[in-house]
Amino acid sequence: GESVGLHLPTLSVQEGDNSIINCAYSNSASDYFIWYKQESGKGPQFIIDIRSNMDKRQGQRVTVLLNKTVKHLSLQIAATQPGDSAVYFCAESHTGGFKTIFGAGTRLFVKA
Amino acid sequence: NAGVMQNPRHLVRRRGQEARLRCSPMKGHSHVYWYRQLPEEGLKFMVYLQKENIIDESGMPKERFSAEFPKEGPSILRIQQVVRGDSAAYFCASSPRPETDTQYFGPGTRLTVL
């Protein structure tokens, strides 16, 4: 079935280092991908998105890379800060669709 | 501009009671989505509604669960005769247009069934 999965359930990085969170998707019809950040006790917060006609998109300290050949998505966080500690979800959908499929999440720990 | 609002934030019910979860979308958003999240898991789509219409309820259990988004007022997710397995966090999201796809989430309602 359709699924969005994450390679690493937990990731621990040193403050100031760069973080890379990976995600695999299986639905070739998906053309819209989103990364969300969820802090404890809060709802998911939109971070960055990318459409399938792009390979890379940059935001403030974050970059999303999309490799359609291998159906892989990654989120890069530059100069990781303690405030980045959270669970990160990748999600997929398709244009005009409304059923966003979420992965299981990766917990990011930032060590001071 | 207020974000998506959900209430109550925490809800405790005994088995067999009814749970009513409310969601007010962001101003200008007419599309509402409900998701369920179990501890240490991702969000599972339940239902997508527009004003007065259910567009997709493929993620909703066939029994005991219902949702509505009336012309006036918040969207309601109703769970009848709750069981312990209904304990979870329920998140509502809204968007201005479905084709925009970016959904903005509320803080969630954490339902505990005793």
Side-chain angles (χ1 to χ4, degrees), chain B residues 2-66:
Chain B
V4 178
M5 300 177 68
Q6 290 187 248
N7 67 83
R9 294 293 310 277
H10 300 274
L11 182 61
V12 178
R13 286 288 178 266
R14 296 189 180 279
R15 284 178 296 172
Q17 291 184 319
E18 178 180 282
R20 290 168 65 97
L21 288 62
R22 296 174 183 78
C23 169
S24 296
M26 287 181 69
K27 186 176 181 180
H29 289 193
S30 59
H31 303 269
V32 166
Y33 316 79
W34 284 93
Y35 294 84
R36 170 183 161 130
Q37 184 179 37
L38 294 173
E40 301 299 308
E41 293 188 8
L43 285 79
K44 295 292 192 287
F45 169 83
M46 298 181 73
V47 62
Y48 161 52
L49 310 101
Q50 294 180 24
K51 283 287 187 181
E52 300 185 275
N53 289 303
I54 297 174
I55 307 302
D56 183 344
E57 56 181 346
S58 59
M60 288 268 281
K62 294 289 186 273
E63 299 179 348
R64 301 189 298 108
F65 285 72
S66 63

Side-chain angles (χ1 to χ4, degrees), chain A residues 7-21:
Chain A
H7 293 305
L8 297 173
T10 60
L11 177 65
S12 183
V13 300
Q14 198 70 38
E15 181 180 0
D17 288 350
N18 295 334
S19 303
I20 300 176
I21 301 172

